[in-house]
Amino acid sequence: MDASTWAPSRARPSWLARLFDNRIFLICICLFPAAGLLLAFLTYPLGLGIWLAFTDTQIGRNGHWIGLENFQYLITDRVFITAVWNTMFYTAVATVIKFALGLWLALLLNEHIPFKSVLRAIILLPYIVPTVLSAIAFWWIYDPQFSIISYVLVNVLHWRDTYVDFLGTPWAARWSLIAANVWRGIPFVAITLLAGLQTISPSLYEAALLDGATGWQKFRYITSPLLMPILAIVMTFSVLFTFTDFQLVYAITRGGPINSTHLMATLAFQRAIPGAQLGEGSAIAVAMIPFLIFATLFSYFALSRRKWQQGSDND
Amino acid sequence: MTDTTIDPAAVTESEGPQLLSWDSRARRIVTIYVPLVCFLIVLLFPFYWMAITAFKPNSELLNYKDNNPFWISAPTLDNIRKLLFETDYLHWLATTMGIAFGSTFLSLFASVLAAYAIQRLRFRGSDYVGLAIYAAYLVPPSILFIPLAQVVFQLGLYDTPFALVLTYPTFLVPFCTWLLIGYFKSIPYELEECALIDGASRLQILRRITLPLAVPGLISAGIFAFTLSWNEFIYALAFISSTEKKTVPVAILTELVQGDVYQWGSLMAGALLGSLPVAIFYMFFVEYYVSSLTGAVKE
């Protein structure tokens, strides 16, 4: 190829094409859609939410700065205190049960069993189905008159004489909600932990076997330390999403009976949207932030610890 | 793994060392299969109950004395007919589908570009941008919906599908970007260098080389985004008020639950039909779905 045929094709790139080959310009263009969306609909609302928490804004009426008044009111509000307490209790108990059962299920699935991939697909079903819709199914399962659980306990097993009032009393309702949350959470925990288990090299177990390790020792000294990094991350996510859970409670009890099962998220919704008190609702939502920051830091340090364990692979 | 048999001979071959110690067959049944079956029954029972309620006539539904509640003696399509033709169900289904596709498409577009910039154009601080996007995933919708409701209202989008198409990316973009960064990382950079030497522009490289190679990642991210937006509840509840514009999960809870007498048959039919699209979608792409779920956590 000689220069005469080269020149025209070389001159062809227009200013537009050259602009698109400029790295700085290209980086800006590429980051623009994501950054724009996130800044406009995530960062700005986050700041706005914190601002709203210190105002008396209502729907359709701009608020004024009132300092800590919302929070001062909330501290004296029994419903809010109950909601904070419920949220902690709900998160702690549901997370512990979810992880105990999820880890067990993951260990079972990690064995040599037939139809493993089919099983894995079926087990994830509770996680992919819209939460509200499975919550409605639970609502029906918890029906005071036609609960199938009560039917089994009373008419089949004869363990009880009366039907259980699952959602009628505060404690029964709390445990029923936790059961529904655990049911929905187990698949996620099990499948992600299974992925973690599969990265553990089988040769470690063979070595342990040669050394005469028992099943418990293998779990204690090989499985659990190697699973810890991924467990920490999965747990952060799980705690985060259980703590801010809204759908299950809203669909099954709507905070009842008599506001005794409200979580912070459902209470914030009830005060802000149907109750029109945007300022107060935001204050409840903002009260969740310290906990979320704690969970995020936890996740970050778990991640960095994992990197440190794997050596200095910076990519 | 291709373990579709529990023939003892095959087990001996594939996991000889374990069998040497204490792995007898009876023990395996008690410690593995029995708990596994219990897990499966508990995890699947609500779906069975949902399905069986949806096809039960009202007389059987509310009478456990004369009927076995676990079975239907006279299945009926009445509940489904009522749901499809006496409510706006089909309308809700179409709205939800549109919103899910719209927000998935928007998020994928934004995420591909962002992931490409972060992973392949490599600029100073690109790691921190990646970390910031990851942090955005940790901001839950429950603390954003109140101020977002105000933003949506000020933009004049309240009670329109665009309110949801534009706000869903707040949780979809971080997830998809994170997933795609991982995928782009697995594509050898040498391919791009070759194309650069051949005189391809950056956008040509993205379109002709990187994207075709990242198709599995795109599918994973797309499926995940689709199911997440199909399942989204709190934004759809807060930003949409008119009956005909609601999404399926919200509509079933707010429109079908009326008065004191719950129409359990229709409710369950609605829940079943609302779950089916994601379930079918999921069944087709289950491997991609699992890989995106586990990949995002492992990243």
Side-chain angles (χ1 to χ4, degrees):
Chain A
M1 199 181 282
D2 61 49
S4 59
T5 53
W6 237 98
S9 72
R10 208 43 215 160
R12 202 179 296 157
S14 62
W15 63 270
L16 199 68
R18 267 179 287 128
L19 190 60
F20 272 98
D21 257 353
N22 181 325
R23 244 176 59 111
I24 309 285
F25 176 77
L26 208 56
I27 288 167
C28 294
I29 280 286
C30 282
L31 283 179
F32 177 73
L37 277 171
L38 290 181
L39 287 176
F41 295 106
L42 196 128
T43 315
Y44 169 64
L46 196 59
L48 184 66
I50 294 172
W51 157 257
L52 283 178
F54 297 96
T55 66
D56 57 357
T57 311
Q58 296 180 0
I59 288 182
R61 186 175 75 90
N62 283 333
H64 303 286
W65 176 268
I66 54 166
L68 290 171
E69 220 169 276
N70 280 328
F71 294 97
Q72 280 163 352
Y73 166 72
L74 284 174
I75 286 176
T76 61
D77 181 6
R78 292 193 69 89
V79 176
F80 175 74
I81 300 296
T82 317
V84 173
W85 191 85
N86 278 342
T87 313
M88 305 269 218
F89 180 75
Y90 181 78
T91 311
V93 175
T95 309
V96 169
I97 302 178
K98 236 186 286 192
F99 272 78
L101 293 177
L103 182 59
W104 188 17
L105 183 56
L107 289 169
L108 291 176
L109 286 173
N110 201 31
E111 298 283 339
H112 279 267
I113 45 169
F115 308 117
K116 197 191 256 178
S117 55
V118 178
L119 271 181
R120 203 173 54 172
I122 292 174
I123 280 168
L124 258 183
L125 267 181
Y127 181 72
I128 59 139
V129 163
T131 310
V132 175
L133 302 184
S134 49
I136 294 175
F138 268 95
W139 190 19
W140 170 223
I141 289 175
Y142 292 149
D143 189 89
Q145 270 182 294
F146 300 103
S147 163
I148 188 68
I149 302 178
S150 296
Y151 172 83
V152 170
L153 290 179
V154 176
N155 299 23
V156 180
L157 298 170
H158 302 291
W159 284 358
R160 286 177 60 100
D161 298 328
T162 54
Y163 271 31
V164 187
D165 191 7
F166 286 104
L167 304 175
T169 60
W171 275 104
R174 281 176 200 140
W175 285 108
S176 305
L177 288 174
I178 288 174
N181 183 283
V182 168
W183 176 84
R184 190 187 176 274
I186 285 179
F188 173 75
V189 175
I191 298 300
T192 45
L193 290 187
L194 177 64
L197 285 175
Q198 282 170 343
T199 60
I200 300 175
S201 159
S203 56
L204 291 172
Y205 292 107
E206 281 166 26
L209 196 73
L210 289 176
D211 290 343
T214 62
W216 166 250
Q217 281 172 326
K218 276 194 266 182
F219 177 78
R220 170 70 186 78
Y221 295 105
I222 299 175
T223 312
S224 66
L226 286 174
L227 199 61
M228 209 41 83
I230 197 165
L231 190 94
I233 297 166
V234 176
M235 192 173 272
T236 314
F237 275 99
S238 174
V239 167
L240 209 64
F241 290 117
T242 314
F243 194 84
T244 58
D245 195 9
F246 173 84
Q247 310 189 19
L248 269 178
V249 176
Y250 187 80
I252 297 180
T253 66
R254 301 229 174 166
I258 340 166
N259 290 332
S260 60
T261 57
H262 263 305
L263 298 183
M264 286 162 90
T266 54
L267 190 65
F269 179 84
Q270 191 182 315
R271 296 272 162 90
I273 309 288
Q277 303 288 341
L278 284 177
E280 199 186 316
S282 298
I284 300 173
V286 165
M288 291 195 268
I289 291 179
F291 188 89
L292 299 179
I293 290 175
F294 176 75
T296 315
L297 288 178
F298 183 74
S299 155
Y300 180 75
F301 286 114
L303 270 169
S304 54
R305 185 167 149 245
R306 181 167 162 269
K307 271 202 175 138
W308 168 73
Q309 277 178 337
Q310 289 180 336
S312 59
D313 184 10
N314 237 344
D315 257 331
Chain B
M1 270 175 239
T2 56
D3 36 13
T4 48
T5 170
I6 44 166
D7 178 24
V11 174
T12 322
E13 263 179 29
S14 66
E15 41 170 14
Q18 284 176 25
L19 205 71
L20 279 176
S21 60
W22 40 264
D23 228 13
S24 71
R25 190 148 180 188
R27 190 188 169 112
R28 270 181 76 83
I29 287 175
V30 174
T31 57
I32 295 174
Y33 294 106
V34 170
L36 205 55
V37 168
C38 293
F39 267 115
L40 277 182
I41 290 174
V42 171
L43 289 180
L44 292 185
F45 179 75
F47 297 117
Y48 172 74
W49 196 234
M50 207 192 256
I52 207 158
T53 309
F55 294 105
K56 265 186 194 173
N58 269 335
S59 57
E60 272 185 65
L61 194 62
L62 304 178
N63 182 356
Y64 289 173
K65 293 277 182 305
D66 308 321
N67 307 288
N68 177 2
F70 288 103
W71 198 241
I72 326 173
S73 36
T76 171
L77 288 176
D78 213 36
N79 294 320
I80 292 182
R81 184 189 55 78
K82 217 183 279 173
L83 180 78
L84 291 185
F85 300 111
E86 288 171 25
T87 66
D88 286 336
Y89 192 80
L90 293 173
H91 207 101
W92 300 330
L93 210 60
T95 315
T96 318
M97 199 72 93
I99 289 170
F101 273 118
S103 52
T104 303
F105 181 77
L106 185 64
S107 328
L108 273 187
F109 174 74
S111 313
V112 164
L113 290 179
Y116 187 74
I118 291 167
Q119 175 58 26
R120 279 298 147 87
L121 298 177
R122 308 291 312 166
F123 48 96
R124 191 179 301 165
S126 61
D127 284 345
Y128 293 101
V129 175
L131 206 62
I133 288 180
Y134 174 69
Y137 189 59
L138 299 175
V139 180
S142 315
I143 63 172
L144 281 181
F145 72 93
I146 297 171
L148 259 183
Q150 238 195 0
V151 172
V152 161
F153 204 79
Q154 280 162 358
L155 290 176
L157 295 174
Y158 186 75
D159 205 18
T160 67
F162 294 106
L164 302 182
V165 172
L166 286 174
T167 49
Y168 285 1
T170 53
F171 55 90
L172 299 179
V173 165
F175 182 85
C176 294
T177 310
W178 200 248
L179 200 74
L180 287 171
I181 287 178
Y183 249 93
F184 286 162
K185 215 183 274 178
S186 70
I187 299 169
Y189 191 59
E190 286 76 11
L191 288 172
E192 290 193 20
E193 282 174 339
C194 287
L196 269 180
I197 290 167
D198 287 347
S201 72
R202 285 283 187 173
L203 287 184
Q204 276 176 323
I205 293 174
L206 177 62
R207 209 180 72 226
R208 300 260 171 85
I209 294 175
T210 315
L211 278 190
L213 286 171
V215 163
L218 287 177
I219 296 177
S220 301
I223 290 165
F224 218 93
F226 181 82
T227 47
L228 279 181
S229 28
W230 186 279
N231 298 355
E232 209 288 326
F233 182 70
I234 190 165
Y235 290 166
L237 181 69
F239 305 157
I240 302 287
S241 61
S242 41
T243 304
E244 73 277 6
K245 289 176 190 156
K246 284 181 174 167
T247 63
V248 171
V250 177
I252 287 175
L253 195 65
T254 55
E255 299 294 323
L256 293 187
V257 181
Q258 279 165 345
D260 291 335
V261 182
Y262 301 130
Q263 298 292 322
W264 287 112
S266 300
L267 258 178
M268 289 299 121
L272 190 69
L273 288 188
S275 311
L276 272 184
V278 269
I280 292 171
F281 204 65
Y282 161 77
M283 282 302 170
F284 274 115
F285 298 102
V286 69
E287 281 309 314
Y288 291 108
Y289 193 90
V290 173
S291 76
S292 62
L293 183 67
T294 54
V297 175
K298 273 195 283 184
E299 246 339 295

